[in-house]
Amino acid sequence: MTTSDGLLAATIRDESGRLVTALYRRFGDFDVAEEAVQGAVVEALTQWRRDGTPRRPGAWLMTAAQRNALDLLRARGRQARATERLAGPPGDAPPSADGALHDADDRLPLLFACCHPALAPDARLALTLRAVIGLTTPQIARAFLVNEQTLAQRIVRAKRKIVAARIELKVPDDLDERLPDVLAVVYLAYNEAFVSSTGSTHDRDLGADAAWLSELVAHSLPERAEAWGLAALLRIQHGRAAARFTATGDLVLLRDQDRSLWDGTAIKRAGEHLERAASLRSPGRYQLQAAIAMCHAEAPSWEETDWLQIVTLYGVLIREDPSPVVRLNGAIALAQLGPRQAAVALADLDTLEPQLAGYHLWHAARAELLRLNGRDDDAEAADRRALELTSNDAERRLIQTRLRRHPLTDGS
């Protein structure tokens, strides 16, 4: 990423949601506002790389987006009304002196609109990445590994639904009921980066974008413990991102990671977020996941990890969120306590087969526990099934390496 690309990504991340909100309030058309800002982003990708970064990038984006909005409205035969609105007094969220809005809370109404339960889950995620974070359609398509046209249609349908359902850009009154939808979308945005081979959409770090968005939500809703819990979790995970892959893109498991590559500053900040969450005395699953991640982050090595503490935390988390994947991770942690616990963990894992038989990580985890229990041939078969079920190149290479390291004892 060039210096210009880096500044562009940071500027878009900070300004995109603000600009969409400002233009929506000025012109009263969500589709026009979002398309105008997206057009400005695409223009910046071209012009900033060619001509260099403007002195006031936020103002540059606002000017370009405002021009695009007028062009869109003119094309729809509404130029006169748009020009009147532009010349008149601004709405209740006017641009600041440098052309952009600078109240962090102002992006929150847009985020809640994009994450409205009336929208399909995949549409919520795509629209949030585009309207709030400012990724382009090609960038999002690369992150989702889908065709650009398919992704674009998904976004168009989501925007039409916002208009048809009269979804307002506002923080809802039922905040406690709606906040989980927002946090789930932010979590999924990070997960898209976490499971990819690079965590990048070529010229944007999707993991960094999602971690940033989680902190925006937490700072905007400082009394919501789970918002701080998610911010802590994603900041820890992203703080360890540099060690997750080799220079050639091979996946490195947590036990084998070079911990000197972890970002100590990010992990410290995550700890502060977690302390803030704990002070609010409203525990939840994101806080518990963050506490587990922090146990890993603070351990000098895999062997010196406080596995008893992690198993205890998983016990609490499973009561809060008894999903099969959480139980899977809890079994893996239990197996680290010793041979007897490894046998119990394998039995626990086998009870999840009805729910996770089509999930490649269940088979990969089961292969590891089978080897811990001395069942190498069964482990080989489990790894081969995991290989069949995953299309992620980095995961496939990791499983293939494990298969070469542990060939079948009967030579078949």
Side-chain angles (χ1 to χ4, degrees):
M1 183 184 294
T2 67
T3 301
S4 180
D5 281 346
L7 180 56
L8 174 58
T11 300
I12 291 170
R13 179 192 293 164
D14 287 338
E15 305 295 349
S16 181
R18 292 175 173 134
L19 297 181
V20 172
T21 302
L23 292 180
Y24 170 74
R25 289 177 174 173
R26 179 151 291 183
F27 296 116
D29 190 314
F30 178 77
D31 184 53
V32 165
E34 198 280 327
E35 287 291 339
V37 173
Q38 182 72 185
V41 169
V42 173
E43 291 170 38
L45 284 169
T46 300
Q47 293 187 34
W48 290 21
R49 287 168 175 161
R50 184 190 63 210
D51 303 330
T53 305
R55 185 172 61 86
R56 297 163 63 201
W60 190 101
L61 284 170
M62 171 56 94
T63 300
Q66 195 163 260
R67 181 184 64 246
N68 292 342
L70 287 169
D71 288 343
L72 287 166
L73 290 169
R74 183 182 297 112
R76 300 180 187 188
R78 289 184 283 169
Q79 183 200 6
R81 187 174 67 181
T83 303
E84 275 180 21
R85 297 190 64 157
L86 182 60
D92 55 349
S96 65
D98 69 359
L101 300 173
H102 287 283
D103 176 6
D105 287 348
D106 202 68
R107 287 165 288 192
L108 213 58
L110 176 62
L111 180 59
F112 272 95
C114 291
C115 298
H116 196 279
L119 305 179
D122 58 353
R124 296 178 208 172
L125 181 53
L127 191 56
T128 296
L129 293 176
R130 204 172 106 137
V132 183
I133 294 181
L135 267 69
T136 66
T137 297
Q139 288 171 333
I140 302 170
R142 286 196 295 267
F144 289 175
L145 300 178
V146 298
N147 178 275
E148 281 187 36
Q149 184 176 0
T150 300
L151 194 281
Q153 290 172 345
R154 188 178 299 171
I155 291 171
V156 167
R157 286 195 297 269
K159 291 191 292 184
R160 287 176 179 168
K161 183 69 174 181
I162 284 178
V163 174
R166 297 183 179 180
I167 296 171
E168 296 181 84
L169 267 65
K170 70 173 188 177
V171 177
D173 296 331
D174 55 343
L175 185 59
D176 289 332
E177 182 178 341
R178 289 281 307 284
L179 182 59
D181 291 328
V182 169
L183 297 182
V185 166
V186 178
Y187 182 82
L188 286 172
Y190 188 84
N191 196 52
E192 289 294 334
F194 191 79
V195 300
S196 72
S197 61
T198 64
S200 170
T201 56
H202 292 204
D203 50 7
R204 286 288 292 270
D205 184 342
L206 180 55
D209 286 334
W212 165 84
L213 185 56
S214 71
E215 291 179 330
L216 172 68
V217 175
H219 285 290
S220 299
L221 300 172
E223 300 306 313
R224 294 305 190 275
E226 276 290 78
W228 288 109
L230 180 60
L233 174 62
L234 299 194
R235 188 52 62 189
I236 293 170
Q237 299 286 43
H238 201 61
R240 302 193 315 222
R244 289 193 69 238
F245 294 93
T246 67
T248 57
D250 289 329
L251 184 64
V252 182
L253 294 177
L254 179 60
R255 71 168 79 237
D256 302 317
Q257 288 178 12
D258 180 355
R259 300 186 179 216
S260 68
L261 297 176
W262 292 357
D263 185 343
T265 300
I267 292 171
K268 180 181 178 183
R269 191 159 93 198
E272 294 168 355
H273 295 340
L274 195 53
E275 289 176 5
R276 179 69 177 269
S279 72
L280 296 171
R281 300 182 182 279
S282 181
R285 63 190 184 97
Y286 291 124
Q287 295 169 70
L288 289 164
Q289 289 180 63
I292 291 167
M294 187 60 72
C295 286
H296 286 296
E298 292 178 339
S301 67
W302 177 267
E303 292 74 20
E304 297 172 271
T305 301
D306 188 347
W307 289 108
L308 182 58
Q309 174 73 357
I310 289 176
V311 168
T312 301
L313 287 168
Y314 266 117
V316 180
L317 178 59
I318 289 169
R319 289 196 294 274
E320 181 79 21
D321 177 13
S323 65
V325 172
V326 171
R327 292 164 60 195
L328 162 67
N329 292 328
I332 295 171
L334 177 63
Q336 311 309 314
L337 292 178
R340 182 180 300 174
Q341 290 86 348
V344 174
L346 179 58
D348 289 346
L349 212 62
D350 284 344
T351 66
L352 301 176
E353 183 173 10
Q355 299 100 323
L356 298 180
Y359 184 44
H360 69 282
L361 291 181
W362 178 78
H363 292 278
R366 188 166 178 271
E368 183 173 345
L369 297 196
L370 285 164
R371 287 192 179 93
L372 286 176
N373 283 276
R375 295 169 56 184
D376 291 346
D377 289 0
D378 292 335
E380 181 86 4
D383 265 335
R384 291 192 181 280
R385 182 56 180 152
L387 189 62
E388 293 173 356
L389 290 171
T390 183
S391 59
N392 182 283
D393 289 340
E395 290 178 334
R396 289 182 62 83
R397 289 195 298 270
L398 178 65
I399 296 170
Q400 287 166 344
T401 298
R402 193 156 69 178
L403 285 168
R404 289 193 295 269
R405 189 179 301 152
H406 303 285
L408 283 173
T409 55
D410 63 3
S412 60

